[in-house]
Amino acid sequence: MEHFVITIARQYGSGGRTVGEMLAKKLGISYYDKQIIHMASDESGIDVSLFGKVEEGNSVKKNSLFNRTGLYKGDLIPPDSKEFISDENLFNYQAKVIHDLAEKESFVVIGRCVNYVLKDRPNTLRVFVHAPWEFRVEQAMTKISGTREEVEKFLLKDDKRKQDYYRRFAGGVWNDATNYDLCLNCGKLGFDKCVEAIEAQMNIMRR
C-alpha cells in the first residue's frame, strides 16, 4: 500500500503540535518537525542555522532576487550559484527531504508549507489546527515566560510570521480553509477528538 502523509499546519497555542505527536504515536508512524531542517542541512551541506533564520522570518540574503520571487517550484539551485544559500534554495531542500521521505515511509509532518509542497500527491491529508484566542493564550503561557500582554504580542507576531512565510513560498493565505482537507478547532474538540477526526478522515481517503 502506498505510504500516506499527514501534514499539520497550526496556530501557535492551538495544540497542533501535540495533536501531531499523539497521532503519529497512535498510528505507529514517524513524526517530523524541526528534524526536517537538520536533514535538509545534511543533504545540502548548508549550515543548519541558516535554515533556522529563514523560518524565523530573517532573510539569509536580503538582496537576493529570490526574496521577491520565492514561490516554490521544486528546482534546486546548484552549489556553484551565488544563490545556493538563498532563502528559496533553503526552502527547496526542505521540500526535497519531504518528497524523499514520502517515497519511503508514512509520517506526520508539522508546518513548512508541506500542504502546498505535497498538494498534488495522492494519499496526503492536509490538516489545519486552530483554536479560540483565549485557548491559545492559555496554552502559550504554559510555554512562554512573560506577561499576558507579552504572550499576546508573541502570538500576533507568530501568526504574521507564518502568514508571510506561506505567502512567500506557497503564494497563498496560510489560514485559508481551502488550502486544507480538514480544519479542526482544538479548543472545542480537544486533543483526543482531533486525533480521532484526522485518523477517521485518513481512513476514508485511503479506501
Side-chain angles (χ1 to χ4, degrees), residues 52-63:
K53 286 182 179 180
V54 178
E55 288 203 339
E56 293 164 5
N58 300 316
S59 178
V60 173
K61 299 189 70 176
K62 293 185 182 301
N63 296 320

Side-chain angles (χ1 to χ4, degrees), residues 55-86:
E55 288 203 339
E56 293 164 5
N58 300 316
S59 178
V60 173
K61 299 189 70 176
K62 293 185 182 301
N63 296 320
S64 170
L65 169 65
F66 294 112
N67 289 336
R68 300 190 298 275
T69 59
L71 187 64
Y72 172 69
K73 301 178 181 66
D75 297 326
L76 294 174
I77 299 169
D80 58 356
S81 170
K82 62 182 180 181
E83 298 296 343
F84 180 63
I85 61 167
S86 65

Side-chain angles (χ1 to χ4, degrees), residues 4-17:
F4 63 91
V5 179
I6 300 170
T7 78
I8 298 180
R10 85 281 180 235
Q11 297 173 320
Y12 192 99
S14 68
R17 179 177 278 115

Side-chain angles (χ1 to χ4, degrees), residues 14 18 22 24 34 39 54 59 67 70 73 78 81 87 91 111 117 119 121 126 145 155 157 166 170 172-173 189 198:
S14 68
T18 300
M22 291 172 60
K34 292 190 179 298
M39 296 167 76
V54 178
S59 178
N67 289 336
K73 301 178 181 66
S81 170
D87 295 357
F91 183 87
V117 170
K119 63 184 175 64
R121 183 187 180 279
R126 305 176 303 162
S145 60
L155 291 179
K157 184 177 180 180
Y166 194 89
V173 179
L189 295 175
I198 296 170

Side-chain angles (χ1 to χ4, degrees), residues 32-40 94 97-98 101 112:
Y32 293 107
D33 189 353
K34 292 190 179 298
Q35 301 96 321
I36 296 296
I37 66 173
H38 290 277
M39 296 167 76
Q94 292 182 73
V97 166
I98 291 162
L101 287 171
R112 293 169 183 79

